[in-house]
Amino acid sequence: MRISSSAVSLTVDDVPASSKFLATHFGFTERMSADGFASLGRDDNAMDVIFLRRGLEVLPEELRDRHASGTIVAFVVDDLAAEHERLRAEGAPVTLPPREEPWGERLFMVTDPNGIVYELVEWVTP
């Protein structure tokens, strides 16, 4: 199997709010959009993110009313401390302050207006 790209699709109540959050704080640009839908990507093709409004008929019936929850979208970065300071200065809500796990993961989390959690990660030698 060859995978040519990756995307995550998240169901939210306010598509424009999550789309704006990714554009403002993480450098994503909206590539396609329609009522209740936005597809965002980055120039480095790191990954695409798709937002779908809850209740859309394109979703399988059993998923239409579910909100993305319990999902963490993780971005590996080169300078976690600099990203933390940048996001704090931009007003992004830091919902988990920087910490280091025993297995060598440094991380912190921010949350968008729809409750989508983004984890920024920097790997270190434990």
Side-chain angles (χ1 to χ4, degrees):
M1 169 174 56
R2 180 184 170 276
I3 297 174
S4 60
S5 64
S6 296
V8 61
S9 180
L10 303 165
T11 307
V12 298
D13 290 320
D14 186 345
V15 169
S18 284
S19 181
K20 181 179 178 184
F21 187 86
L22 275 187
T24 300
H25 299 299
F26 293 107
F28 281 77
T29 56
E30 206 170 82
R31 293 186 173 157
M32 293 181 279
S33 66
D35 184 35
F37 164 82
S39 177
L40 294 96
R42 291 175 41 94
D43 289 341
D44 59 12
N45 293 317
M47 85 178 294
D48 290 347
V49 178
I50 299 163
F51 295 111
L52 297 170
R53 186 180 61 235
R54 280 194 324 157
L56 281 181
E57 290 189 16
V58 299
L59 292 166
E61 191 170 338
E62 65 273 9
L63 299 178
R64 283 184 195 153
D65 291 322
R66 291 189 187 176
H67 181 278
S69 64
T71 300
I72 297 172
V73 179
F75 299 131
V76 178
V77 299
D78 292 329
D79 188 343
L80 191 73
E83 294 301 329
H84 179 254
E85 288 307 311
R86 178 185 65 80
L87 287 166
R88 277 182 5 109
E90 292 175 359
V94 176
T95 50
L96 181 70
R99 63 194 241 182
E100 187 169 328
E101 301 295 351
W103 51 85
E105 178 183 24
R106 285 190 188 132
L107 66 109
F108 72 93
M109 295 178 184
V110 297
T111 303
D112 87 358
N114 281 294
I116 304 298
V117 176
Y118 297 91
E119 177 180 278
L120 281 79
V121 176
E122 180 179 56
W123 294 99
V124 294
T125 303

